[in-house]
Amino acid sequence: MQRLKTGTIAVVSALGMTAVLGGCGLTGDSEVTLKLVAADYGDSKANSSQKYWDELARAYEAEHPDVRIDVTVHSWNDVDRKVREMVDAGEAPDMAQIGAYADYAAKGLLYRADDVLSIPVQANFVSQLESAGQVNGVQYGMPFAASTRVLFYNKTLFAEAGITPPKSWDDLAEAAEALKAKGVKYPYALPLGPEEAQAETLQWLLSGDGGYTESVGSYRIDSAENVATFTWLKDELVGKDLTGPVAPGELNRADAFAAFAKGDVGMLNGHPSLMKIASAKGVEFGMVPTPGVEGPSKATLGVTDWMTAFKQNGHREQVGDFLDFVYNDDNVLDFSRMYDLLPVTTTASEAMGTAAQDKELRPFLDELLASELYPVGKGSWAEVSAEIKKRIGRAVAPGGNPEAVLGSIQATATRAESAE
């Protein structure tokens, strides 16, 4: 619905508590402060997201002198916890750009997207991302930044081994054998360690025509397709010593990326930031769609982070106007290009798809419409994701039983879903 401007005036204390001055209909020059907590996508002070948000806030404030945007940026290690602590203390921010939204939505703490966004802005979200932001058909999570996965390969190592990029699982196994014969440390890096095991797992499940959930939305982690995928991984890659010296269950994504940047990895699944990491170390790499059972995978992993709008402080109109500004094409593209991420809006995606400066991101952009996201609309997902990180490495370990491990995770998922 289209928002209407109102004369409601509020000020926010340093602690984030709202005090409404007077009554409805008052006008004047009182300032409204909107508190935003956001995640840091940078890897140094020079490219911290604090700089991006500060510049964006100043630009908005220049056109809206009665509104102040107070932005606090935390690392991804801390931001979800910080927001949780604020909410638990009764000091929710007006907006939080974080990794999950479903539990807040389930408690009635969030505005619906159509409560705050104008119709054109909400309708402009990429369809897969918009759908993933829904709980029971209602959108609460507003996608903020997105990425997909493709298979990275080291061109130099492939040339030395006389092989071409794989299209199927059999191709990948054969390429890994050739790389191993040439002494490559990690023919295929399989990071199933606790840092981001849920990502590598879903990428492989999708390539085996499986996934975390079935079409009606219920968990299907121990499906026949998923068991077959992890049995293949255990027997054809890990069991044949094609995944390197570190056990997959102990190998984290960041360490796998670092090894690729050192030239020690032949192949691995990666997202856009790996391009910058590898280029900085002089690694010549190529990118192809993720191999599937008989050819390129029909779907790939998509990941998005979320903007949320909390009800507590009652600044619906002001929050909505600021978020409309956040999601204009120029701002969406600026952020995406700064951090090698994908736009979350259709028009910005179309602009990136034709811009020469974005050609390196195009392989990821091409995968976005065929991507599948985590089941983030489920309040149980946080618990299930934690269980995957804890247990999935055991499925491919020596003596491991993929069916038993996936069955154990499914049991946790079923209990967690029943408790929602």
Side-chain angles (χ1 to χ4, degrees):
M1 59 186 175
Q2 184 65 42
R3 298 188 315 276
L4 301 176
K5 298 296 182 183
T6 70
T8 303
I9 298 171
V11 292
V12 182
S13 73
L15 293 178
M17 300 298 288
T18 303
V20 178
L21 302 182
C24 294
L26 281 177
T27 60
D29 57 358
S30 296
E31 182 182 85
V32 170
T33 297
L34 300 179
K35 185 168 183 61
L36 166 65
V37 177
D40 196 348
Y41 291 79
D43 55 14
S44 68
K45 187 175 181 179
N47 70 347
S48 170
S49 296
Q50 186 75 54
K51 180 179 179 181
Y52 170 84
W53 283 111
D54 286 347
E55 291 178 355
L56 193 70
R58 300 298 84 79
Y60 181 80
E61 290 169 352
E63 300 295 326
H64 302 80
D66 58 339
V67 178
R68 178 173 174 267
I69 310 298
D70 177 10
V71 184
T72 304
V73 171
H74 296 286
S75 76
W76 272 111
N77 292 330
D78 300 323
V79 66
D80 288 286
R81 175 178 56 81
K82 292 286 188 181
V83 171
R84 172 69 61 194
E85 291 171 352
M86 294 173 70
V87 171
D88 289 347
E91 300 170 358
D94 295 284
M95 296 162 285
Q97 186 266 301
I98 47 180
Y101 67 86
D103 52 347
Y104 296 125
K107 294 176 182 177
L109 302 178
L110 301 181
Y111 285 118
R112 296 161 52 123
D114 58 7
D115 284 336
V116 290
L117 297 177
S118 63
I119 291 173
V121 170
Q122 186 180 8
N124 197 26
F125 287 128
V126 173
S127 59
Q128 281 90 337
L129 308 182
E130 186 271 339
S131 296
Q134 296 180 1
V135 175
N136 297 324
V138 177
Q139 185 182 4
Y140 293 94
M142 293 165 274
F144 181 74
S147 69
T148 56
R149 301 294 197 271
V150 298
L151 184 77
F152 281 73
Y153 65 96
N154 184 310
K155 286 186 174 181
T156 302
L157 297 180
F158 266 59
E160 291 173 352
I163 54 178
T164 57
K167 296 181 179 180
S168 68
W169 285 2
D170 286 345
D171 293 343
L172 189 148
E174 290 174 7
E177 289 278 12
L179 291 164
K180 178 185 176 183
K182 287 291 185 178
V184 175
K185 191 172 183 180
Y186 294 88
Y188 178 85
L190 182 64
L192 295 176
E195 178 195 5
E196 203 181 38
Q198 82 284 2
E200 183 74 10
T201 297
L202 183 53
Q203 185 78 350
W204 274 99
L205 297 184
L206 292 171
S207 73
D209 298 324
Y212 286 142
T213 58
E214 58 189 3
S215 58
V216 296
S218 299
Y219 288 109
R220 58 164 187 176
I221 295 170
D222 61 347
S223 69
E225 294 88 351
N226 293 346
V227 171
T229 294
F230 266 81
T231 299
W232 187 90
L233 279 173
K234 179 178 183 294
D235 294 344
E236 302 301 325
L237 289 186
V238 181
K240 294 183 178 179
D241 197 25
L242 300 177
T243 55
V246 179
E250 298 174 9
L251 181 65
N252 282 325
R253 188 265 309 163
D255 295 328
F257 279 18
F260 186 81
K262 289 174 62 178
D264 290 339
V265 174
M267 302 171 282
L268 81 170
N269 289 321
H271 53 65
S273 68
L274 183 54
M275 295 188 300
K276 184 176 293 184
I277 297 170
S279 295
K281 297 294 186 179
V283 173
E284 292 190 24
F285 61 87
M287 300 178 293
V288 294
T290 303
V293 179
E294 297 181 349
S297 178
K298 298 173 185 176
T300 189
L301 167 65
V303 177
T304 190
D305 303 318
W306 303 100
M307 179 68 74
T308 55
F310 284 86
K311 293 179 178 179
Q312 180 180 323
N313 299 324
H315 294 148
R316 182 179 68 86
E317 299 290 338
Q318 295 89 346
V319 166
D321 194 72
F322 176 64
L323 289 179
D324 276 2
F325 177 72
V326 167
Y327 283 109
N328 76 42
D329 280 354
D330 287 342
N331 293 330
V332 170
L333 285 168
D334 282 348
F335 189 87
S336 300
R337 288 165 174 160
M338 184 179 297
Y339 297 109
D340 291 326
L341 293 166
L342 303 181
V344 296
T345 63
T346 299
T347 51
S349 295
E350 291 170 349
M352 178 174 280
T354 59
Q357 73 185 94
D358 300 314
K359 63 180 181 180
E360 289 186 336
L361 284 169
R362 212 155 293 153
F364 301 94
L365 195 62
D366 291 343
E367 297 290 325
L368 187 58
L369 292 179
S371 65
E372 183 171 320
L373 281 74
Y374 304 129
V376 291
K378 291 177 173 290
S380 57
W381 170 241
E383 182 178 350
V384 175
S385 177
E387 190 74 0
I388 293 168
K389 293 177 182 180
K390 178 181 177 182
R391 294 185 179 275
I392 197 63
R394 303 175 190 177
V396 297
N401 184 327
E403 185 173 8
V405 172
L406 292 172
S408 174
I409 297 171
Q410 175 65 35
T412 296
T414 300
R415 287 194 300 271
E417 193 167 29
S418 297
E420 286 188 65

